[in-house]
Amino acid sequence: MRRIEDLSIRRKISLIVMISSGPLFLLAGLAFILQDRATFMRMLEHDIQTTTQVMGTNSNAALLFEDQRSASELLASLSADSRITRAGIYDRDGVLFASYQVDGPSVEFPDNPRLIEAGFREGHFRAVRSIVLERERLGWVFVEASLTQLQGRLANAILIMSLITGTAILVSMVITSRLQRFIVDPVLALAEVAHEVGRQSDYTCRAIAQGDDEIGFLVHRFNAMLNQIEERDRELQEYREELELRVEERTQELTVAKENAEAASK
């Protein structure tokens, strides 16, 4: 596996975008899921509390006249709300007077409504309310709702947010690949010029600045360095040519002097 330092600039930028944006999308999705969960629970609590209050008010007559049939019919109307799993009406002595339970395994109702813990408990929400008529307590009404819908809702929310997060990361990667050319292309062009200069020792090559940002500043400095090297190379070439000319002149002088000396010796 290649190290991050060895990856190309394009891949580094893409990796940085993915690493930085991925957690943000996940956090946003998590916040949305938690907010949706809190909203659902608030709505469930409000609805069940309201239902309990309505049931308590409507069951006054049934308790007052000890009409068990009317109380059972009243509780049976709760089947319209699929969230409610069971409900019961207790008389003034805390004895279960009528009950309702969805189809499935039978669950024993609490013996004493005074001991029922209201609120969210073990995957359910429970509400208990006293049934009062003219300041006289006639009994209690108990309603229990399941959080199964919440679990399904959370599962769907997680799936949707996963799809949204994946799509958002993919879109950001596509946009990044389109926009990163403003950074990558000038760097690659500069690297290509540097490669040509090193390969051919041609210091007349120049990089073209595409902007006045940091990369543009780097291009200008690189071109300035090439100007200095080219100037020094030109000076060295002139000095070499001048030196060769002097050597040639000195050689001619020595040759003439040698010929004159040989002629004088004869």
Side-chain angles (χ1 to χ4, degrees):
M1 183 176 180
R2 299 178 62 184
R3 299 185 308 166
I4 296 180
E5 293 82 356
D6 299 330
L7 297 177
S8 64
I9 294 179
R10 291 184 185 274
R11 291 189 178 182
K12 285 179 181 178
I13 294 177
S14 299
L15 185 62
I16 290 172
V17 170
M18 184 175 65
I19 293 176
S20 60
S21 61
L24 294 179
F25 288 125
L26 291 176
L27 288 176
L30 179 60
F32 172 80
I33 292 174
L34 293 178
Q35 177 63 29
D36 183 70
R37 177 179 182 272
T39 301
F40 178 87
M41 295 180 71
R42 284 197 302 268
M43 291 178 58
L44 177 64
E45 180 178 4
H46 175 269
D47 292 345
I48 300 304
Q49 292 284 12
T50 302
T51 299
T52 304
Q53 181 178 2
V54 172
M55 295 297 296
T57 301
N58 293 339
S59 60
N60 286 334
L63 283 175
L64 186 62
F65 297 104
E66 298 182 355
D67 188 352
Q68 233 175 8
R69 181 179 177 181
S70 297
S72 297
E73 292 177 352
L74 179 63
L75 292 175
S77 65
L78 296 176
S79 60
D81 191 338
S82 60
R83 298 171 298 178
I84 298 177
T85 56
R86 59 177 178 163
I89 295 176
Y90 294 81
D91 61 18
R92 69 182 72 227
D93 297 324
V95 178
L96 186 63
F97 182 71
S99 64
Y100 160 79
Q101 186 172 352
V102 296
D103 296 335
S106 179
V107 180
E108 185 177 354
F109 278 76
D111 295 331
N112 190 341
R114 300 180 184 88
L115 301 180
I116 297 177
E117 296 183 3
F120 292 93
R121 295 288 186 277
E122 300 178 353
H124 296 83
F125 177 78
R126 293 178 174 180
V128 181
R129 181 177 293 272
S130 298
I131 302 174
V132 179
L133 180 62
E134 296 181 356
R135 299 183 180 182
E136 179 184 356
R137 176 180 292 167
L138 301 180
W140 292 265
V141 60
F142 159 70
V143 178
E144 182 179 86
S146 173
L147 299 182
T148 303
Q149 287 188 2
L150 174 61
Q151 297 171 359
R153 187 186 183 102
L154 290 179
N156 291 334
I158 291 174
L159 177 60
I160 293 174
M161 289 310 305
S162 298
L163 294 176
I164 293 176
T165 299
T167 303
I169 293 177
L170 181 61
V171 171
S172 66
M173 294 294 292
V174 172
I175 295 176
T176 300
S177 65
R178 300 272 182 166
L179 297 179
Q180 67 180 352
R181 61 186 181 86
F182 294 106
I183 298 176
V184 176
D185 289 354
V187 174
L188 294 179
L190 180 60
E192 181 64 23
V193 173
H195 176 72
E196 288 298 320
V197 171
R199 185 172 64 88
Q200 301 182 6
S201 297
D202 182 8
Y203 299 105
T204 61
C205 297
R206 294 293 183 273
I208 300 177
Q210 300 182 13
D212 294 330
D213 56 0
E214 291 83 352
I215 299 178
F217 175 77
L218 179 61
V219 170
H220 291 310
R221 297 305 301 169
F222 180 77
N223 289 336
M225 181 185 68
L226 291 180
N227 290 334
Q228 294 178 0
I229 295 175
E230 184 182 9
E231 180 64 23
R232 292 177 184 176
D233 190 59
R234 184 182 61 79
E235 292 177 354
L236 287 174
Q237 183 64 26
E238 292 178 353
Y239 179 75
R240 187 181 301 111
E241 292 175 355
E242 182 180 356
L243 183 60
E244 290 176 354
L245 180 60
R246 290 182 181 180
V247 170
E248 184 179 354
E249 291 176 352
R250 182 59 179 167
T251 302
Q252 290 178 357
E253 291 176 357
L254 292 175
T255 301
V256 172
K258 182 179 179 182
E259 291 176 352
N260 292 334
E262 291 176 353
S265 62
K266 292 179 178 180

